[in-house]
Amino acid sequence: MTGVIKTEELFTFELDMGSETERPTGQQLEDMLYNCLDFCLLYRKQAHFFLAGPDDAGHPELWRVLEILREEGATFSLLTEPERGEYESLRSGDLRGKIRIRADGEASCELGALGNVLYDRLGDLWEVKHMQGGKTA
């Protein structure tokens, strides 16, 4: 893991890299990453990515994802064993501002379902949810 997570300064993203049978393409992953990074710029927060999935380390686009994160100054945790157990304990804590993104692009947060970040900007999805009565971090 990368150390202490200060949730008031950070948006955390659990990005599902998918399984061998259901993986986002390289372009879809890149689109999701930049969507999340733009979202952080909009709200003036740092990004931290938990790269998750049954075979996250085996994704053919993993090195491209890591290159983008390095270039953009985002931190990440590659969730392989034993990090998955440590992450599961974090997941049960208060990770306000945490957004889970499935391999198909569907996003959710503490406010509930947000929408699909492959088709819409994450900032727009977040704002619509906020206007429906949810609260942001």
Side-chain angles (χ1 to χ4, degrees), residues 27-85:
Q27 185 60 53
Q28 288 174 320
L29 278 171
E30 194 169 316
D31 290 347
M32 284 191 279
L33 287 173
Y34 284 117
N35 194 335
C36 294
L37 292 166
D38 287 346
F39 177 68
C40 288
L41 283 174
L42 180 67
Y43 286 94
R44 294 184 176 98
K45 294 199 179 196
Q46 289 291 103
H48 181 84
F49 289 84
F50 291 105
L51 303 177
D55 187 24
D56 50 351
H59 195 289
E61 297 293 328
L62 175 64
W63 291 109
R64 177 66 185 134
V65 167
L66 298 180
E67 180 182 340
I68 291 169
L69 295 178
R70 183 187 58 80
E71 288 171 357
E72 297 297 326
T75 58
F76 67 90
S77 297
L78 185 62
L79 297 180
T80 57
E81 295 301 336
E83 290 88 359
R84 285 189 200 280

Side-chain angles (χ1 to χ4, degrees), residues 110-124:
E110 72 271 8
L111 305 176
L114 289 174
N116 194 300
V117 300
L118 291 175
Y119 305 116
D120 296 302
R121 289 182 59 240
L122 185 55
D124 295 338

